[in-house]
Amino acid sequence: MTLRTQPEMSTLPNQQYLHIQRRLHDHFGSLHWWPADSPFEVAVGAILTQNTTWTNVEWAICNLKQAEALSPERLAALPVNQLEAMIRPSGFYRQKAARLQNLATHLLEDWQGSLADFCAGPLNDARARLLALPGIGPETADSILLYAADRPSFVVDAYTRRIFERIGLLQGQEKYDEIRRMFMQSLPEDANLYNEFHAQIVQLAKTCCRKNKTLCADCPVNRECSFAKRGSSSVTQREFRNT
Ligand code: SF4
């Protein structure tokens, strides 16, 4: 594949993240994540989407909606076997049922049922509270902070790693918090920007920058991408981690 010849990106590394975000925004526009009727539904979705696809989560959310169970009060009061049956489409349903009821119970007992209050205050403190709950890892915590509580906490997922390794801004060895810090130090502290950027990264991963096949000629960041500059059009497991 031959790409158009473009001048090398001359911006400093910390400017490249914003530059790439602008290109993605020009290409995809605003994507208005996260699709949910309430912040608590976002938090439930963030737990349900662990280790599964969003399509499977939608089935589980639909079941919870039909049972009017998407509030801390209703969810905490559900018999666990009923909750497990409702969220079964999302996989790992026993673990996830326990995590959901633990979150709901914690909100009720310590935060008067308010997810907004739980996520308020200094960002690091709110994040530490989330991470202290069983089964809430960094990606889930940041998804809840960003998409449920509108806090500027960047979400790093497998798509982020894949795309930014290919672009050349990640080497592949970085840990979650290191990547998150790189993004947050390079971008304005803006929850709406983080929201859109993560959504646009996911969109790019599903359209052009797929796991086993790249469509670099159609990609809005091909001029910034090391992989595209090498002129490859497909990906081998030897070149990239299995993300
Ligand atoms: S140019 Fe190709 S490898 Fe680079 S981000 Fe776009 S699709 Fe992925």
Side-chain angles (χ1 to χ4, degrees), residues 58-105:
E58 286 179 321
W59 281 106
I61 294 274
C62 183
N63 291 338
L64 292 168
K65 275 187 179 167
Q66 283 181 350
E68 298 182 350
L70 281 171
S71 71
E73 296 83 359
R74 295 294 300 264
L75 202 142
L78 273 178
V80 69
N81 61 329
Q82 286 185 25
L83 177 57
E84 287 174 355
M86 287 179 211
I87 67 168
R88 193 171 183 133
S90 70
F92 302 98
Y93 58 93
R94 291 203 171 96
Q95 286 178 9
K96 291 179 181 177
R99 289 169 186 175
L100 290 174
Q101 289 200 310
N102 192 68
L103 171 64
T105 302

Side-chain angles (χ1 to χ4, degrees), residues 1 3 20 24 162-168 204-205 207-210 213-229 232-233 235 240:
M1 179 197 63
L3 292 174
I20 288 167
L24 293 179
R162 180 204 302 168
I163 289 171
F164 283 83
E165 281 178 34
R166 289 174 181 172
I167 287 174
L204 184 68
T207 53
C208 298
C209 202
R210 300 175 199 161
K213 176 76 175 173
T214 58
L215 303 174
C216 298
D218 300 327
C219 177
V221 294
N222 57 19
R223 285 177 289 179
E224 290 77 18
C225 181
S226 300
F227 183 79
K229 287 173 185 167
S232 302
S233 61
V235 181
F240 289 102

